[in-house]
Structure formats: structure tokens, C-alpha cells
Amino acid sequence: MSTKIIILIVGVLFIIIGLLASKRGGSKLGIPIGILGVLMMIYSSYSSDLVNYNTQIEQVSTGNKLKITGPVSSIKVVSPVDKDSVDCRILTMGVYPESNKNDIWVLIRPTDDRYYPQSDHTNTSYKREGEWQVVTRFGGDLGEAYDLIIYEADAASSSFFSETIAKWKEADDYPGLKLEELPSGAKEVDRIKIYTRKNCRGVF
């Protein structure tokens, strides 16, 4: 059960307790408890996914783009480019050999040395006709350095990343993964260093 739901339930209980206390003549205690309950319900509602739906339609920027010539022989990120400075929410794009059937995942590693798989509504990176892309979010300070790492993942590893994101979202807590927690079926295929050009802390 997520923190938001717990706050909502406690808020409802406080309102009920406040109403009962007021009916029994305990208005000095009932009114403050009732007000606290209303405030808790307002907080949980305004922090819910319904009210924050605008984050799903937030504009996504793109970074500089690497020029690729000739046939594509490996999975590679083409935007942003190495040492690029990026916005808080970007579209990471790349290429892959069309013979490749595995999923592609973008993981970012900020200065806390944890790994954060990135996804949009499909979880895995969108692939089509030799090109892939995924929404990537950064939550650090201005100028914070990130490793942006591309993984080729088998079915089991891809499921692990998807399930991990679902658990984090349900708990509203994103602790990141340690290196040893990454699944063995996920193979690193490309890595670049990027920096945030804005203060992104608390944006998402």
C-alpha cells in the first residue's frame, strides 16, 4: 500500500473521529482533528497520479545528435551525445541492427552510484526500423554528472526492470539498484557521460 493511500485513509478516519467528537460536545478536540483530516485528504489527492496527469504530457526536449553513417552493427545511443548538457526530461534516441530482437533499456547512474532504469508507458525502449527511443528523467542538481548506459536485455532481465519500476511506482520510492542487483542477462552495449543544465531536484 502506497504512502498516499495511507494518508488518505488516515485523513478519512480523522474526519470521522472529528465529527463524532463534535456531536458529543467535544468541539475543542473534534474541530482540529477534522481539519487535519481534511488537509490530509487534500494533500493525498493533489499528489495523486490523477492530479499530476500533466507530467505525462510534459514537453520532452532532445539533446545534440550524433551523425551515423554506414550500416549499423551495434546498439548505440545517438542523442544526447557524450559530454552533452541536458534538460530534466529528454528523449534518448539510438540505433540498433535490425536483426537484434532483444529489448533495449536505458539506465542512468547519478553521483549516488545507483542505477535507475528509464521507461515511458511501454517500459522498454520503443524500437522500429533500426531506431529506438525512450523518455529519460533526471532529478539531480545543476551540473550533476550522470552515466547514461544502454543495456541489451533478454526477456528475463527486461521483466526484472519492468517489475522493479512497477514496485517503485507503487511505493512512491525510487531507491535505485546496486551494480550487483542488475540482472545477469542485461549486457552493457554503450555508455556516455552527460550533465544536467538545470536544477532538476524535486521536478519528478
Side-chain angles (χ1 to χ4, degrees):
M1 186 178 294
S2 71
T3 305
K4 294 172 186 175
I5 295 174
I6 293 172
I7 293 173
L8 181 62
I9 292 171
V10 173
V12 171
L13 289 174
F14 276 14
I15 290 172
I16 293 171
I17 292 169
L19 289 172
L20 292 174
S22 296
K23 284 183 178 180
R24 294 178 181 176
S27 59
K28 289 184 179 179
L29 180 62
I31 291 174
I33 291 176
I35 291 172
L36 181 59
V38 170
L39 291 174
M40 292 176 76
M41 288 184 67
I42 291 172
Y43 171 78
S44 63
S45 297
Y46 271 88
S47 59
S48 70
D49 290 337
L50 290 174
V51 177
N52 283 328
Y53 179 75
N54 64 317
T55 61
Q56 302 300 329
I57 58 175
E58 181 182 359
Q59 288 188 350
V60 178
S61 69
T62 55
N64 294 314
K65 194 168 184 179
L66 187 69
K67 290 184 179 179
I68 300 292
T69 57
V72 175
S73 58
S74 62
I75 298 170
K76 189 169 184 62
V77 57
V78 298
S79 181
V81 299
D82 192 36
K83 304 297 190 298
D84 210 353
S85 292
V86 300
D87 289 332
C88 303
R89 180 181 171 115
I90 66 167
L91 191 64
T92 300
M93 298 178 285
V95 294
Y96 68 95
E98 290 197 52
S99 60
N100 184 287
K101 303 303 179 185
N102 287 334
D103 289 330
I104 298 170
W105 281 85
V106 172
L107 276 72
I108 59 172
R109 184 174 73 105
T111 52
D112 66 359
D113 203 29
R114 297 264 180 161
Y115 294 76
Y116 298 84
Q118 302 296 297
S119 74
D120 46 29
H121 300 299
T122 61
N123 274 349
T124 59
S125 297
Y126 173 77
K127 293 173 63 181
R128 185 173 182 180
E129 297 177 354
E131 297 183 349
W132 60 265
Q133 63 183 40
V134 67
V135 176
T136 309
R137 302 169 181 86
F138 305 93
D141 298 318
L142 171 67
E144 184 168 344
Y146 286 81
D147 285 330
L148 192 148
I149 313 165
I150 313 305
Y151 283 87
E152 178 183 357
D154 60 18
S157 300
S158 192
S159 294
F160 170 81
F161 287 136
S162 295
E163 290 165 7
T164 297
I165 290 171
K167 289 176 184 176
W168 289 352
K169 187 174 182 180
E170 174 65 24
D172 195 22
D173 183 32
Y174 300 83
L177 296 167
K178 295 179 181 178
L179 179 60
E180 57 269 24
E181 293 178 305
L182 298 181
S184 59
K187 176 186 175 184
E188 181 180 332
V189 291
D190 198 11
R191 177 187 295 236
I192 62 172
K193 179 80 72 177
I194 56 173
Y195 305 88
T196 48
R197 64 181 174 204
K198 296 179 180 178
N199 179 13
C200 301
R201 195 161 296 281
V203 172
F204 304 110

